[in-house]
Structure formats: C-alpha cells, structure tokens
Amino acid sequence: MIRVMGITHDHRVDAGISIEDIQDAKYLWSWIDFSEPTEEESCLLDTGFHFHPLAIEDCLHVLQRPKIDYYEEYEFLVLHALDPDTLATAEVNLFIGPNYLVSFHHRPISEIDAVWEGLQQRTQSRTSWTRGPFVAAYFIIDALVDQYFPCVYALEDELDELENRGSKESVELLMNQVFELRSRLLKLRRTIVPMRDMLYRILNSQHIQGEKEPRAHFADVYDHLLKLSEMIESDREMTADLRDSYISLNSNRMNGIMKTLTVITTVFMPLTLIAGIYGMNFVNMPELGWKYGYFAVLGGMLVLTVWMILAFLKRGWFK
C-alpha cells in the first residue's frame, strides 16, 4: 500500500493524493509512505524517485543495521522498530529530501501510523521548522525510540524479580533465566547502540547546521538513546554479577556436599577395615574363638566412630 500526504504552503494537509500530485507547486513538501509494498510498488523507488541502487537494495534486503547514508540530494536512514512483547525488530527506511519524505517498511508500524495522523494536526503550527520533511523524520524516530523504553523497563523488572527470588529456586533454573535475560538484552543492544551512533552522526553533520530547533529535538532523542544504552550496560553488568554469584553459590553447595560425603567415607573407612579383617575365614584366628569377641569388636567400632565424629566436630568439618 502506498499513501501520500501533501502539505501546502499555507500549512493545509491533503491526504490521500496520488504520487503524481506531489509535483504540484502548491505543495511545500510531501510524505510518501510505502507500507507492505508489493514488488511493483517497490519498483517505484527506482523508476519514480530514482534513488541510489545501494539504498534500494538496503530497503529490499532486511534486516540492515541502523545507519544514515548521505547522498547528493537526500539522506537515507535505516531505523529499527521493536515489538515490546517479543523484542522482534522491524526495519523502517527513510529517504529525506529537500521537499519530500519517503518511508518504506515491510510490515505495518504502529508508530508510523500514529505520526501520520498526528502530523496532520502538528502542521498547523506556525513554527518554521515544522514545515519541512525533517519534522516527520524526527517524529518517526522519536516515536520509535519511545517504544524502546517499555522494552528495557520490562527487562529491568524481570531482573529485579529474579534477584529477589534468587534463594528460593534451584541454581540451574536461575542460571537459565539469567542467560535468557542476557540474550534479550543483547537483542536490544544491537538496535539501541547503532541508533545512538546514527543520531550522533546526524547531530554532527552539516545537513541540519544552522537549524537550531530541529537540532535540539534530535539532541533530545540522542539523550534518550544514551540513557537507554547506559541502562542496558548496567543491566548486563547486573546479570553478569548474578551469574557469578550463582556460580559461586553452586560451587559452595557442591563443596558442602563433597565435604559431607568425605566425612561419611572417612568415618566408615576404619570400620570397613575392621569388618574386612575379621571377615576373613582363616582357621588360626584367636579372636574367633573368644566368647565376647563379637561384642568387643562392635564396642570398639562404636568407640572409634564416636571419637572420629567428635574430632571432626572440633575441627569444624560439619559447619
């Protein structure tokens, strides 16, 4: 589906116009949105707008890393939208020209739909910078970045819950949950860090130099991305600490089990030796004919066992 919006010189919005209508001189700038385009509609990127083949290739072959490329007459941006439930990423491509904005995405993006509708009211503003295509680009980027926060906050809540119930579940289960959290944090990092770098390039480019208001708004989005990246790094460090704690806890438990088994084995070793000696069937064994031999051996084994247990208690082996 292709939808077109035209903004006139007197700040009126004409929605539902055709691509051919954007050439009309009454339009100050226009926004063309390719949502789930067919193969024939995708060809308009080349035949209708004559974009660079490399940019078109990036549009058609997902999933590209967030980035910005500068061409002679336009800028090409690759953005990522996040699904808060699955953390699945969807690519959003933007072509920003002097009097047009072209957005291209392979599946519906709710953030773009919200900006599409909200921009119709915002274009009534008399602020000069809102009359250009950068306004729509800014609102799209801002909407996408705002959607990152619930994803990060949800993972932080899971991390806090995991930390609180650490002593109530098995170490193996907790370790699996920690590694799953680290994997999801890595997914977020692969989107947020390149988006942050892309905003840094925009802020330090010459393409919006002198336009203080859009620069300030892009700087605000950059600050949000800095905060998100710091939160992710902090969460990754916390998961690493939890992982190390669980490994240490598991090692201590294993050491305790091994110590217990060692004590039990040590206690029974001399008893087994005594039982083995008197279990031999030699004829000339004087103790075998003694009337109280059986009770004497059992008593000696009992005394030896009690003595060894007291000795281990004194050395603190049962702590």
Side-chain angles (χ1 to χ4, degrees):
M1 180 184 70
I2 300 177
R3 53 183 175 177
V4 184
M5 173 192 298
I7 291 82
T8 64
H9 289 269
D10 56 354
H11 314 299
R12 289 188 302 103
V13 178
D14 290 344
I17 62 177
S18 65
I19 292 182
E20 292 77 12
D21 293 335
I22 64 176
Q23 303 298 330
D24 196 317
K26 70 177 182 178
Y27 293 119
L28 180 66
W29 65 279
S30 55
W31 179 6
I32 303 93
D33 180 48
F34 290 76
S35 179
E36 293 185 287
T38 63
E39 184 175 350
E40 181 181 354
E41 291 172 338
S42 300
C43 291
L44 289 176
L45 296 176
D46 181 22
T47 59
F49 295 95
H50 307 292
F51 292 135
H52 195 281
L54 292 178
I56 297 175
E57 182 180 355
D58 286 341
C59 289
L60 300 179
H61 297 84
V62 294
L63 185 66
Q64 303 294 324
R65 190 172 184 267
K67 64 176 183 175
I68 179 171
D69 291 331
Y70 297 109
Y71 293 95
E72 185 174 352
E73 297 181 354
Y74 56 89
E75 290 82 43
F76 173 65
L77 280 68
V78 176
L79 312 173
H80 279 184
L82 279 177
D83 186 333
D85 298 325
T86 64
L87 298 184
T89 55
E91 185 176 316
V92 178
N93 307 111
L94 299 181
F95 296 88
I96 307 175
N99 58 353
Y100 64 85
L101 170 70
V102 176
S103 55
F104 186 96
H105 43 100
H106 289 278
R107 70 172 179 82
I109 305 295
S110 59
E111 292 86 349
I112 292 183
D113 293 337
V115 173
W116 180 274
E117 303 200 357
L119 192 63
Q120 299 184 32
Q121 286 76 38
R122 291 190 177 100
T123 50
Q124 306 302 321
S125 170
R126 294 292 174 178
T127 307
S128 59
W129 80 275
T130 60
R131 296 199 292 267
F134 259 103
V135 61
Y138 158 71
F139 283 124
I140 290 173
I141 296 174
D142 186 53
L144 294 177
V145 171
D146 286 345
Q147 194 60 44
Y148 298 167
F149 279 96
C151 301
V152 177
Y153 288 150
L155 289 182
E156 285 197 333
D157 291 341
E158 289 187 34
L159 188 57
D160 291 339
E161 183 182 353
L162 182 63
E163 188 176 13
N164 293 333
R165 69 170 190 265
S167 59
K168 302 177 183 178
E169 297 184 6
S170 67
V171 174
E172 183 178 357
L173 178 60
L174 291 172
M175 287 286 287
N176 290 336
Q177 293 175 343
V178 167
F179 283 118
E180 182 184 355
L181 271 176
R182 285 182 63 84
S183 175
R184 293 161 68 186
L185 286 170
L186 181 59
K187 280 185 179 180
L188 287 175
R189 189 176 185 275
R190 287 174 179 169
T191 291
I192 291 174
V193 172
M195 287 283 288
R196 181 197 66 191
D197 296 340
M198 184 196 69
L199 263 295
Y200 180 82
R201 287 193 62 192
I202 292 176
L203 289 173
N204 290 274
S205 70
Q206 303 298 318
H207 293 262
I208 58 173
Q209 187 173 8
E211 302 177 30
K212 295 182 179 180
E213 195 161 0
R215 182 178 293 275
H217 284 76
F218 281 114
D220 181 65
V221 178
Y222 177 69
D223 290 340
H224 291 170
L225 289 167
L226 275 179
K227 179 182 178 180
L228 286 167
S229 60
E230 290 172 358
M231 291 170 64
I232 288 178
E233 292 304 323
S234 176
D235 292 341
R236 282 173 56 82
E237 290 178 5
M238 189 177 297
T239 55
D241 292 341
L242 283 176
R243 178 193 60 193
D244 295 340
S245 298
Y246 292 152
I247 290 176
S248 299
L249 178 61
N250 193 42
S251 298
N252 288 335
R253 288 180 179 177
M254 289 298 298
N255 289 338
I257 293 172
M258 293 301 297
K259 183 164 56 174
T260 302
L261 293 176
T262 301
V263 169
I264 295 173
T265 303
T266 304
V267 169
F268 278 93
M269 281 177 62
L271 305 183
T272 304
L273 175 63
I274 294 172
I277 291 174
Y278 287 103
M280 295 185 293
N281 295 322
F282 291 110
V283 175
N284 297 318
M285 291 185 69
E287 293 86 353
L288 295 180
W290 186 30
K291 180 178 179 182
Y292 301 104
Y294 172 74
F295 301 103
V297 170
L298 286 181
M301 294 172 69
L302 178 61
V303 170
L304 180 61
T305 300
V306 172
W307 176 81
M308 293 183 68
I309 291 175
L310 292 176
F312 291 150
L313 284 172
K314 185 177 181 180
R315 293 175 179 268
W317 283 30
F318 290 101
K319 292 182 181 179

